[in-house]
């Protein structure tokens, strides 16, 4: 960029800075990870400081902090919903595996998500991949394709409930 307006744009971007709580919380997590992996030896303090600072700086450059603030209450609701769906779906999968009279109707279901491609959609796909009976198998800009053990189950409705709960819990923009 050239000219005074170009320099001003670059300077505004560079000096915008990162919220201190975002850097501090990431550094705290990296310090905890260091302590779990390497222990708490006094001789390792200089290496720990360098490693935590480098990891924090790198993470802030690769994944910029967002404006969203997670809601603890919504996270608890999401956890309970996830556990409920896991137990119910796990029992259903086990019942279908053990009882040959119960039909399996495997196939693909397209779920129209409101999440754009990127970290948010990846978190949703990861969360839903942990539920028994459904596995994300691709998609495009507007939908995620899921392989299901039984396409006649209310898969789309359950995925919609999970998406709403996830957005409420983590992306309170």
């Amino acid at each position: 960029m050239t000219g005074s307006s170009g320099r001003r744009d670059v300077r505004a971007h560079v000096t915008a800075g990162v919220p201190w709580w975002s850097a501090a919380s990431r550094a705290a997590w990296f310090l905890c990870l260091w302590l779990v992996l390497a222990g708490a030896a006094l001789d390792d303090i200089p290496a720990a400081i360098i490693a935590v600072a480098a990891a924090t700086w790198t993470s802030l450059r690769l994944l910029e902090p967002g404006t969203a603030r997670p809601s603890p209450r919504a996270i608890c609701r999401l956890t309970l919903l996830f556990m409920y769906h896991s137990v119910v779906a796990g029992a259903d999968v086990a019942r279908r595996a053990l009882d040959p009279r119960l039909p399996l109707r495997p196939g693909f279901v397209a779920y129209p998500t409101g999440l754009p491609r990127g970290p948010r959609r990846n978190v949703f796909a990861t969360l839903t991949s942990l539920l028994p009976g459904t596995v994300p198998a691709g998609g495009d800009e507007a939908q995620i394709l899921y392989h299901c053990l039984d396409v006649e189950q209310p898969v789309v409705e359950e995925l919609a409930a999970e998406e709403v709960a996830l957005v409420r819990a983590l992306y309170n923009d």
Side-chain angles (χ1 to χ4, degrees), residues 11 17 27 38 58 106 116 132:
R11 197 175 323 124
T58 302

Side-chain angles (χ1 to χ4, degrees), residues 18-158:
V18 173
W20 66 269
W21 64 85
S22 181
S25 66
R26 290 187 192 196
W29 282 109
F30 287 125
L31 178 60
C32 289
L33 180 62
W34 176 274
L35 292 172
V36 167
L37 295 176
L42 290 176
D43 295 342
D44 293 338
I45 289 176
I49 291 170
I50 292 169
V52 167
T56 302
W57 181 84
T58 302
S59 79
L60 290 169
R61 296 303 171 263
L62 294 177
L63 186 61
E64 293 181 10
T67 58
R69 295 287 164 247
S71 163
R73 186 171 160 203
I75 289 172
C76 288
R77 259 191 256 138
L78 175 65
T79 303
L80 291 173
L81 179 67
F82 177 79
M83 288 175 13
Y84 170 77
H85 281 196
S86 293
V87 169
V88 170
D92 182 57
V93 169
R95 194 182 76 208
R96 290 173 188 278
L98 297 173
D99 188 352
R101 293 173 296 179
L102 290 175
L104 289 177
R105 292 176 283 287
F108 291 92
V109 172
Y111 174 69
T113 181
L115 298 171
R117 284 186 177 263
R120 292 178 180 206
R121 185 183 284 196
N122 293 343
V123 168
F124 176 68
T126 301
L127 176 71
T128 56
S129 74
L130 299 174
L131 295 172
T134 60
V135 176
D140 58 25
E141 291 300 319
Q143 64 187 9
I144 301 173
L145 190 62
Y146 283 88
H147 181 271
C148 305
L149 287 180
D150 189 350
V151 294
E152 292 183 12
Q153 295 295 313
V155 175
V156 171
E157 291 80 7
E158 290 175 2

